[in-house]
Amino acid sequence: MIKVGEHITLDFLGVKRNYSSEFYEKVIYKIAKAAKVEILNVASHKFEPQGFTLVALLSESHFSFHTFPERGVISFDFFTCGKVNPKVALKILRNEIEHERVVTNAFDRSSIGLYDDIYSTPGQKKYYVVKNVLEKFTSKVGQFVEVMDIEEFGHALFIDHEIQVAEKDEKIYSSNFFKSSNDLSKKNNHVAIIGGGDGGVARACLENNSNYIDWFELDPEIVDACYRHLPKICSKVKKSNKVKTFWGDAFKSIKEIENSKYDKIFVDLNDDQYCIDLARKNMKGLKRILKKGGIITAQVGSNDKKPKQVENWCKVLGKSFGNVKLSGAYIPSFDCNWNFASSIMK
């Protein structure tokens, strides 16, 4: 980690008093003395009809005040590359400013970043701690791809800002995906995978002695990125002569596949409504290529966080096959239980 400095923001709420410009100029020197920083220059401006801004340039960086009298708010921020933590300003300002409540945010300015977990439970905002961004691009098919080294889970693939797979716990996902199908039938000589660009499900099939794997994947750039940065997940797939890859729209490709070819079909698409509707539209084609007694299994998202989507996936499979079984496993990098829905071709 490369540390640049420390930063604190303080928002004083419920401020009734309109402090003078002299007050702020006096208090910044009190803070500077306590924090052992040197003020080089001060600039300020008083707005009409109300409001005041002051910025102090420091040898060690800066601090500033912004006031919003109409909202009863005084905002202060302090960034320093010095040795003293900028939180020393909090004690001084608590005593100097009459307020009802103060909101404090403090963070390191460094090469370590925080990446929003869009699956956060409401009221419990969470982030991934990013040590490095290994690759970032928009693929030719329009997917925004990021491969990052995240502190807890190693190299991880994000597509359109949503985590897809991480090195540390990928086997939990892939092994449970495969197990959900295998619990219903052990036959897995011929397998089809729809999606699954990271290669984890294909690797799980290889490890469970599938002899012929047809992999239908839309985006070769995602697969190549995973080969480069996630070799623990997909290197076996790249080397295997049991895996045949069909690039492009999977549902167009399967039109060329003979009837009743596969013992298992794994649908590893997004769990969103668009992909649910896409699967519904093409379910007849999937049924055509599945053997009697064969199993179709889809990853359907989290029943804990998006129960409606899981329900909609199950409705599609249940209507098409007359049966559906839901299973799941806790995926640490997803921070929730993840579900898989399976149906038998009767």
Side-chain angles (χ1 to χ4, degrees):
M1 180 184 77
I2 301 172
K3 185 169 182 177
V4 178
E6 294 178 88
H7 201 153
I8 185 171
T9 63
L10 306 173
D11 293 298
F12 293 87
L13 311 179
V15 178
K16 302 292 192 297
R17 186 173 168 185
N18 194 5
Y19 293 93
S20 67
S21 57
E22 290 76 20
F23 166 84
Y24 294 104
E25 290 175 6
K26 180 181 177 181
V27 82
I28 62 169
Y29 283 97
K30 188 178 286 190
I31 295 170
K33 183 178 179 180
K36 299 178 182 179
V37 295
E38 180 186 5
I39 296 177
L40 299 177
N41 197 10
V42 178
S44 63
H45 182 78
K46 188 174 182 180
F47 297 91
E48 295 296 340
Q50 57 194 354
F52 177 75
T53 288
L54 179 149
V55 178
L57 176 65
L58 309 175
S59 294
E60 299 80 4
S61 195
H62 76 271
F63 48 62
S64 67
F65 280 103
H66 303 279
T67 76
F68 308 90
E70 72 280 12
R71 289 187 278 167
V73 174
I74 295 175
S75 295
F76 172 81
D77 83 288
F78 186 2
F79 172 39
T80 177
C81 55
K83 295 181 180 180
V84 177
N85 190 300
K87 284 185 179 180
V88 297
L90 178 58
K91 184 177 180 181
I92 294 170
L93 291 174
R94 277 185 184 275
N95 292 329
E96 296 286 344
I97 297 174
E98 296 177 18
H99 63 282
E100 295 177 0
R101 187 164 68 95
V102 60
V103 177
T104 304
N105 288 288
F107 47 95
D108 283 337
R109 301 285 291 271
S110 70
S111 57
I112 298 295
L114 297 179
Y115 193 93
D116 184 12
D117 174 10
I118 66 174
Y119 258 97
S120 294
T121 301
Q124 298 180 351
K125 194 65 177 173
K126 295 185 293 300
Y127 301 87
Y128 297 101
V129 179
V130 179
K131 295 165 65 177
N132 196 12
V133 178
L134 305 175
E135 193 164 356
K136 180 166 64 174
F137 62 91
T138 299
S139 71
K140 290 183 177 64
V141 300
Q143 299 191 95
F144 181 60
V145 181
E146 296 167 288
V147 185
M148 294 183 276
D149 183 8
I150 54 180
E151 189 168 278
E152 188 175 359
F153 303 108
H155 290 191
L157 171 69
F158 289 74
I159 299 177
D160 296 331
H161 306 289
E162 183 175 346
I163 192 168
Q164 305 295 310
V165 66
E167 282 180 320
K168 184 176 179 180
D169 60 10
E170 175 274 331
K171 282 197 173 183
I172 300 175
Y173 177 93
S174 297
S175 63
N176 278 281
F177 202 161
F178 185 86
K179 184 177 182 298
S180 298
S181 175
N182 212 47
D183 284 347
L184 298 179
S185 172
K186 304 300 180 187
K187 295 180 180 179
N188 66 328
N189 190 48
H190 286 77
V191 172
I193 302 169
I194 311 296
D198 56 83
V201 178
R203 193 210 66 253
C205 291
L206 287 172
E207 291 174 344
N208 286 277
N209 302 313
S210 298
N211 289 319
Y212 304 96
I213 301 169
D214 287 346
W215 185 13
F216 300 89
E217 169 55 39
L218 176 67
D219 200 333
E221 291 178 86
I222 288 178
V223 176
D224 288 341
C226 291
Y227 285 155
R228 286 192 294 274
H229 301 293
L230 298 162
K232 293 179 182 178
I233 295 175
C234 54
S235 60
K236 290 181 181 179
V237 177
K238 186 176 183 180
K239 297 173 184 177
S240 177
N241 58 11
K242 294 182 178 181
V243 180
K244 182 179 180 180
T245 307
F246 297 78
W247 300 113
D249 185 331
F251 296 111
K252 288 183 179 178
S253 297
I254 64 173
K255 291 178 180 179
E256 306 301 320
I257 301 298
E258 68 258 32
N259 294 344
S260 305
K261 180 177 181 179
Y262 299 113
D263 300 300
K264 297 185 184 301
I265 297 175
F266 295 95
V267 182
D268 195 9
L269 301 173
N270 288 341
D271 53 296
D272 58 26
Q273 190 59 47
Y274 173 80
C275 288
I276 297 171
D277 293 338
L278 190 64
R280 179 189 295 110
K281 180 181 176 181
N282 291 280
M283 197 56 66
K284 185 176 180 181
L286 291 171
K287 289 180 69 175
R288 181 185 63 79
I289 61 176
L290 187 61
K291 292 179 181 178
K292 186 176 182 180
I295 311 298
I296 183 169
T297 301
Q299 78 85 11
V300 295
S302 173
N303 200 35
D304 296 334
K305 295 191 175 183
K306 293 187 178 182
K308 188 63 178 178
Q309 288 185 186
V310 174
E311 180 186 349
N312 288 344
W313 267 110
C314 289
K315 283 181 179 178
V316 170
L317 291 169
K319 183 177 181 180
S320 297
F321 294 91
N323 64 92
V324 63
K325 180 182 178 183
L326 193 66
S327 62
Y330 182 76
I331 313 295
S333 61
F334 295 176
D335 193 31
C336 61
N337 200 59
W338 208 255
N339 295 100
F340 309 94
S342 300
S343 296
I344 304 172
M345 181 71 169
K346 294 184 176 180

